[in-house]
Amino acid sequence: MNQSISTLKQEVQEVLITNILPYWMNRMVDEENGGFYGRITGMEQRMPEAEKGAILNARILWTYSAAYRLLKKEEYLAMATRAKEYIIHHFYDKEFGGIYWSLDCKGAPLDTKKQIYALGFAIYGLSEYNRATGDKEALDYAVRLFESIEAYSFDTVKNGYCEALTREWDEMEDMRLSEKDANERKTMNTHLHILEPYTNLYRVWKDERLKRQLYNLILIFTDKILNRETGHLQLFFDDDWNSKYRIVSYGHDIEASWLIHEAALELGDKDLLAKVEPIVKQIAIAASEGFTPEGGMIYEKNPDTHRVDADRHWWVQAETVVGI
C-alpha cells in the first residue's frame, strides 16, 4: 500500500511539473496587455480579446504561490508575482475596496460588482503568496479584503454572508454567481469559499476577530447548511436560513468535508474538533453516493424529480481526490 501511494504521488507530481504548471506559463501569459489571457479554447486557440476574470487570476496566484512554497522553483515565483501584481493593480477597487468581478482584455474594469466569492478567492491567493514569500503587501491586501467582507457582507443579525453587492456595496437584484444558481441572498458555495480563504489567512495572520469568524463559519455549516438527516449540504437560502431546494451537489459535499475539517484543525480547538469530526465523516459518506464503478464522481441529482446529472466535471473529480 505504501509503495502504491508513493508511486501515485510521484505520478501526480510529474504531471503537475511537466504538464499543468508549464501549460499556463507557456500559453496564457499576456505579454501585450499584462496579466493572463482570459480564455483559451479546447483547440488551443487563445482568445486575446476575452475578458479577464477575478477567479481565474486568483486561482493562478494561489497555484503558483503554493507551487513555489513547496517546490522552490523561481519560474513559479515569477508567475505568482505576476498574478499578485495584476490583482492588486487592476482587480482591486482603489476607490471603494473589494475586487472587480472582471476586466476587459486591456485590464480596465468591466463588471464591477462585488461578488463575495471573488473576494474570498483573492484572499486565498494573496494569503498563500504571503505564506510562500513573507510578502507584506500581499498580506495587507488580504486583510483589506477580509475587512470589506466583514463590513459589507456579514449579516450581524441573522448570521452568514450575502452573495453579492454593487461596486459601492449597495444591494443588487441579481446576486447569482452563475445563471445555474438560484437568486438567493445566501448560498453554501459562497460560505464554503469564505471558509477556505479565512483558514488560509489565519495561517499567516493570527487575528482574534478572524479566529472568531472562522469558528462561526464552521458552525454555520454544521448547524445551518448541513442537512443532518441526509448528510448532504443544502445549497441556497433566504435571509432566515430557510431552503426550498433539494438538489444534491456531490462535489461540494466532498469538498466541504475536508475544508471544514481543515479549518477546525487550524483553529486547534479540541471541543470543536470533537463536534466536527463525526460530522465531516457523515458528509463524506453521503458524498460517496455519487461514486461511479470506474472511480469517478457524478455531478449532482435532484431527489424530487429523480434527475441525475452524471457528467464528470473536472472540479468534482479534483475535490474527490483531495476529499478521499
Side-chain angles (χ1 to χ4, degrees):
M1 176 63 75
N2 289 339
Q3 181 62 37
S4 63
I5 292 174
S6 176
T7 301
L8 179 60
K9 181 179 178 181
Q10 184 177 348
E11 290 176 357
V12 169
Q13 183 165 320
E14 184 177 352
V15 170
L16 179 68
I17 65 177
T18 64
N19 183 357
I20 296 173
L21 293 173
Y23 182 93
W24 293 87
M25 292 189 291
N26 296 333
R27 289 175 172 82
M28 298 305 288
V29 174
D30 185 346
E31 298 288 4
E32 181 178 353
N33 294 312
F36 305 91
Y37 293 112
R39 183 184 175 201
I40 188 169
T41 72
M43 301 302 292
E44 300 296 323
Q45 179 183 359
R46 282 191 293 260
M47 309 295 284
E49 302 301 317
E51 66 182 275
K52 297 178 175 180
I55 303 302
L56 174 62
N57 282 265
R59 283 174 167 165
I60 290 172
L61 173 58
W62 182 90
T63 298
Y64 286 93
S65 297
Y68 175 69
R69 179 172 60 83
L70 294 170
L71 301 173
K72 303 302 181 186
K73 292 190 176 184
E74 290 300 316
E75 58 264 40
Y76 302 157
L77 176 59
M79 281 285 284
T81 302
R82 183 184 188 87
K84 172 227 167 186
E85 295 293 332
Y86 200 77
I87 285 172
I88 288 175
H89 295 299
H90 294 273
F91 278 100
Y92 186 80
D93 185 340
K94 295 175 179 62
E95 183 175 358
F96 294 102
I99 295 290
Y100 298 127
W101 179 246
S102 68
L103 311 174
D104 66 20
C105 65
K106 295 185 181 298
L110 187 61
D111 186 340
T112 61
K113 68 180 177 181
K114 303 299 168 57
Q115 197 82 34
I116 304 305
Y117 181 95
L119 273 71
F121 267 104
I123 292 172
Y124 195 39
L126 290 164
S127 59
E128 187 65 17
Y129 187 87
N130 173 264
R131 189 181 177 198
T133 67
D135 182 77
K136 185 178 183 299
E137 183 181 44
L139 179 59
D140 287 345
Y141 274 88
V143 171
R144 289 186 198 183
L145 293 173
F146 163 76
E147 297 288 358
S148 291
I149 291 175
E150 293 300 319
Y152 300 111
S153 175
F154 183 62
D155 185 339
T156 58
V157 177
K158 298 175 180 178
N159 209 349
Y161 297 85
C162 74
E163 275 294 284
L165 298 157
T166 67
R167 182 189 177 193
E168 298 82 6
W169 305 106
D170 294 323
E171 297 290 327
M172 60 189 304
E173 184 175 342
D174 188 347
M175 296 177 287
R176 294 175 299 169
L177 183 63
S178 72
E179 293 182 359
K180 184 179 183 297
D181 292 341
N183 188 28
E184 293 286 5
R185 187 168 173 79
K186 296 170 183 174
T187 74
M188 175 280 304
N189 197 21
T190 287
H191 283 79
L192 192 62
H193 292 292
I194 299 174
L195 175 75
E196 182 178 42
Y198 277 20
T199 300
N200 210 45
L201 181 58
Y202 188 67
R203 289 188 173 105
V204 295
W205 185 54
K206 300 299 186 189
D207 178 78
E208 281 300 314
R209 185 157 64 105
L210 171 60
K211 182 179 181 179
R212 290 195 303 271
Q213 292 304 81
L214 182 56
Y215 190 102
N216 179 60
L217 272 161
I218 294 172
L219 297 186
I220 287 174
F221 272 91
T222 60
D223 300 349
K224 297 183 183 297
I225 293 176
L226 175 65
N227 183 325
R228 295 297 291 269
E229 293 182 4
T230 67
H232 295 296
L233 303 179
Q234 301 172 96
L235 303 186
F236 305 105
F237 303 85
D238 63 19
D239 255 350
D240 295 307
W241 292 102
N242 300 308
S243 180
K244 57 187 177 184
Y245 307 92
R246 299 225 307 141
I247 293 173
V248 173
S249 175
Y250 294 107
H252 286 117
D253 284 347
I254 196 70
E255 181 181 13
S257 70
W258 71 267
L259 284 178
I260 294 168
H261 191 226
E262 185 179 69
L265 286 170
E266 193 60 37
L267 287 175
D269 186 306
K270 292 182 179 179
D271 292 334
L272 180 63
L273 272 172
K275 174 178 179 173
V276 160
E277 288 186 335
I279 293 173
V280 298
K281 288 178 183 177
Q282 180 191 15
I283 298 172
I285 291 169
S288 71
E289 297 168 10
F291 284 152
T292 62
E294 68 275 15
M297 178 75 89
I298 66 175
Y299 188 51
E300 65 181 27
K301 74 173 181 180
N302 187 328
D304 294 328
T305 64
H306 303 290
R307 183 188 67 82
V308 175
D309 183 343
D311 288 350
R312 308 299 197 268
H313 291 248
W314 68 267
W315 70 266
V316 177
Q317 314 315 307
E319 293 297 346
T320 302
V321 168
V322 180
I324 60 176

